[in-house]
Amino acid sequence: MAHGRDHRTPDGMTEKCGVVGVSLADRDAARPLYYSLYALQHRGQESAGIVTHDGFQQHSHVEMGLVGDVFDAEDLDQLNGPTGIGHVRYPTSGGVNACCAQPFSVSFKSGSLGLAHNGNLVNAGEIRSELEALGHAFTSNGDTEVIAHDLARNLLEADLVRAVKRTMSRIHGSYALTIMHDEAVLGVRDPEGNRPLCIGELDDGYVLASESAAIDTLDGELVRDVAPGELIVLEPDGTGFDSYQLVERDSTAHCFFEHVYFARPDSVIDDGLVYDVRRNLGRELWAESSIETDVVMPVPDSGRSFASGYAEAANEDGAGVEFAEGLMKNRYVGRTFIMPTQDERERAVRLKLNPIRSTVEGKTVTIIDDSIVRGTTSTQLVDLLRDAGAEEVHVRIGAPPIVAPCYMGIDMASRDELIAADRSVDDIRETIGADSLSYLSIEAIADVLGRTKGDLCLGCVTGEYPYDIEDERTDRDVSRPAVGSESAPADD
Ligand SMILES: O=P(O)(O)OC[C@H]1O[C@H](OP(=O)(O)OP(=O)(O)O)[C@H](O)[C@@H]1O
Ligand SMILES: NC(=O)CC[C@H](N)C(=O)O
Ligand SMILES: [Mg+2]
């Protein structure tokens, strides 16, 4: 659902975006781009757009709204050309309006540029001021246009690969980009690997996408993840791709929350199937905080794979628990925690989830969810389950407490909205009204993801960010903090 899109503040935040890029041998890219954006709709619901190139000129269709509403058959027919990029947006920088909708198009002396961005820059303001001083005029107040202008400027002085490298040395923060320079399609992943991006092979071409589920939708094969700091250039005739490792870091900062909540369970991210990761996190959750219970129940949607792993591990231990889908989800209500007002979020949770009385009446129930952000979902569910006759309600969460905001592009609200920012686990338990509450440890997250803590971005659960955010704030404007300079890669 397009949660309260009209009510969002001009600098409102949130979720993530999805990017795609396609290069085909001998057919228009518009429909494959459209289907792959449809597969990534969960990553952004504010606007959608496609830019293609037919060898002579660029074609663009970008509008506010959901993928299915933004494009009709006629729009797709007009998007000519075998190469193109696409975007679904959830704003993290700039307005919630058509000016900030993507892909951005820039025309300049040596060609045309289209650019789609998932992520959030922390030094966009600084670069914008510099470019403005050089005469660049911006049409939006977001961070993505800044990348497009910086790259266009570099392309006046350098070849494609060198220009991208220069831009990568200037921008700081998280970014997965798909770019069109004339008919060439490029993919770039930030040096910390914070945002996902992968490459897929089709019968007649190649595709770049935020998540592999988009490649599946096109009946393609996942080739591999784009490496942190890597540039991929798709051959314009769909026959292959070139790779350039432009920036290398000693450590990465992969967003763990991508695996826990954002991505689709059927996507493979950084070599791990999200479904398996969530099931294994659920198994760890049982190992760390088992409790006697009659019924284990997922909080749909994102809690599902965690709960199946939890119940499986419990039964392997001889706990004899029943696994029940006892919370019915209204399929027309989407993600709730991103809604702008508390009133709307509460209403949405009630609209979204309804318990099946017979699965809980007279029973000890354990509900499993991936995360608690503001506590809206868990508070209401505990209440609803008690009203439906549950004797005891235990809550198990497949992530650590969210104690700090996210500056890299997820709606983690401000500290004063986060239920765990200044409360102990027992205080939270009391606030949500549960008989017991346990979260998963940071160690378990790192173990299951097969990474050291130093290679993950854990800012929202530790308050320590892998980016040097100088001016950490408590409001919702994520474009303001400056980042300390990192060693820029040599130009050549
Ligand atoms: O503590 P809160 O502020 O309520 O936020 C946490 C809840 O929000 C998310 O679900 P959401 O409804 O956004 O999406 P989902 O259907 O993918 O689980 C998450 O999965 C939790 O259920
Ligand atoms: N959610 C995202 O990745 C958003 C990309 C970009 N920062 C924007 O706000 O448009
Ligand atoms: Mg949920």
Side-chain angles (χ1 to χ4, degrees):
M1 134 172 173
H3 322 292
R5 308 179 251 172
D6 300 328
H7 312 284
R8 213 163 280 276
T9 57
D11 57 356
M13 314 224 328
T14 237
E15 243 177 56
K16 307 252 189 142
C17 299
V19 298
V20 291
V22 163
S23 180
L24 301 172
D26 195 21
R27 63 180 165 124
D28 281 345
R31 279 180 170 73
L33 286 165
Y34 172 75
Y35 295 130
S36 51
L37 288 181
Y38 226 117
L40 298 180
Q41 184 75 83
H42 61 290
R43 298 183 69 87
Q45 293 101 43
E46 298 296 339
S47 65
I50 291 177
V51 169
T52 59
H53 202 288
D54 63 12
F56 298 101
Q57 58 173 328
Q58 218 181 59
H59 303 274
S60 167
H61 186 89
V62 181
E63 266 179 27
M64 298 299 285
L66 299 170
V67 177
D69 300 329
V70 163
F71 304 97
D72 59 24
E74 209 178 303
D75 299 325
L76 294 174
D77 287 343
Q78 282 165 7
L79 287 164
N80 299 129
T83 57
I85 59 171
H87 189 263
V88 283
R89 177 173 190 241
Y90 219 107
T92 57
S93 168
V96 187
N97 53 45
C99 299
C100 286
Q102 303 186 31
F104 269 97
S105 297
V106 180
S107 291
F108 60 109
K109 246 196 294 185
S110 49
S112 66
L113 198 65
L115 191 137
H117 172 210
N118 166 214
N120 208 58
L121 297 192
V122 289
N123 64 340
E126 202 179 295
I127 305 172
R128 169 190 292 263
S129 307
E130 279 173 22
L131 290 170
E132 276 170 346
L134 291 168
H136 286 247
F138 290 86
T139 57
S140 78
N141 59 347
D143 55 353
T144 305
E145 198 184 2
V146 171
I147 309 177
H149 277 255
D150 190 77
L151 183 56
R153 183 156 203 95
N154 288 332
L155 279 165
L156 294 175
E157 293 163 3
D159 63 38
L160 184 62
V161 175
R162 205 172 295 198
V164 171
K165 187 170 178 173
R166 279 190 194 172
T167 293
M168 287 173 81
S169 72
R170 186 67 191 98
I171 59 178
H172 296 301
S174 62
Y175 53 92
L177 308 172
T178 50
I179 303 170
M180 283 215 82
H181 177 229
D182 295 334
E183 67 267 53
V185 172
L186 283 59
V188 180
R189 191 169 179 197
D190 61 72
E192 285 77 21
N194 188 271
R195 300 268 69 88
L197 188 64
C198 58
I199 315 167
E201 185 173 357
L202 311 178
D203 286 345
D204 59 348
Y206 282 84
V207 53
L208 291 155
S210 294
E211 290 184 37
S212 64
I215 299 167
D216 298 339
T217 304
L218 302 180
D219 290 329
E221 287 287 323
L222 173 64
V223 175
R224 64 172 173 86
D225 294 290
V226 176
E230 188 183 19
L231 161 68
I232 297 292
V233 183
L234 301 186
E235 299 286 351
D237 55 3
T239 52
F241 62 86
D242 292 319
S243 151
Y244 305 86
Q245 188 61 50
L246 296 186
V247 186
E248 263 174 294
R249 294 267 195 272
D250 293 339
S251 58
T252 55
H254 294 281
C255 167
F256 83 94
F257 212 63
E258 187 74 55
H259 304 266
V260 163
Y261 171 72
F262 272 107
R264 287 170 52 146
D266 52 337
S267 284
V268 175
I269 289 187
D270 288 325
D271 282 335
L273 177 65
V274 174
Y275 174 74
D276 287 346
V277 165
R278 290 185 188 167
R279 272 177 52 82
N280 288 334
L281 292 171
R283 294 181 63 86
E284 289 301 312
L285 191 56
W286 167 261
E288 287 187 356
S289 56
S290 60
I291 182 114
E292 241 177 74
T293 192
D294 299 321
V295 187
V296 169
M297 211 174 263
V299 179
D301 279 321
S302 307
R304 284 204 168 107
S305 351
F306 291 86
S308 75
Y310 184 93
E312 182 183 76
N315 286 331
E316 280 170 16
D317 272 357
V321 302
E322 182 195 344
F323 177 77
E325 288 266 7
L327 289 165
M328 275 306 106
K329 188 190 154 187
N330 179 333
R331 72 177 64 198
Y332 301 102
V333 181
R335 296 190 143 179
T336 58
F337 94 79
I338 56 174
M339 296 190 81
T341 69
Q342 188 57 19
D343 205 41
E344 283 170 285
R345 287 190 288 266
E346 280 170 21
R347 171 60 45 204
V349 172
R350 189 63 192 90
L351 264 175
K352 179 172 172 170
L353 298 168
N354 197 32
I356 298 176
R357 182 171 273 274
S358 60
T359 59
V360 300
E361 206 159 24
K363 294 182 182 162
T364 297
V365 178
T366 301
I367 54 172
I368 316 280
D369 206 352
D370 60 285
S371 58
I372 298 181
V373 181
R374 296 181 182 85
T376 317
T377 307
S378 36
T379 306
Q380 286 209 42
L381 285 183
V382 171
D383 239 24
L384 282 173
L385 291 168
R386 289 202 198 284
D387 285 352
E391 296 240 308
E392 288 175 28
V393 182
H394 302 276
V395 178
R396 295 291 178 271
I397 301 296
I402 307 290
V403 297
C406 172
Y407 295 108
M408 307 323 301
I410 301 182
D411 179 20
M412 292 299 197
S414 58
R415 275 171 204 268
D416 45 356
E417 281 183 290
L418 296 170
I419 194 171
D422 52 6
R423 285 186 182 84
S424 68
V425 173
D426 198 50
D427 284 348
I428 303 167
R429 180 200 61 72
E430 211 178 310
T431 309
I432 68 173
D435 290 284
S436 79
L437 166 68
S438 291
Y439 290 89
L440 192 62
S441 66
I442 293 177
E443 287 67 28
I445 298 273
D447 271 6
V448 168
L449 289 178
R451 296 191 185 277
T452 62
K453 286 191 254 178
D455 276 328
L456 292 172
C457 180
L458 296 163
C460 61
V461 294
T462 60
E464 287 164 28
Y465 301 93
Y467 301 88
D468 190 8
I469 295 164
E470 287 169 356
D471 178 23
E472 203 203 311
R473 302 125 318 129
T474 53
D475 64 19
R476 310 182 107 234
D477 175 3
V478 291
S479 60
R480 232 192 309 138
V483 76
S485 63
E486 297 179 42
S487 57
D491 201 24
D492 297 297

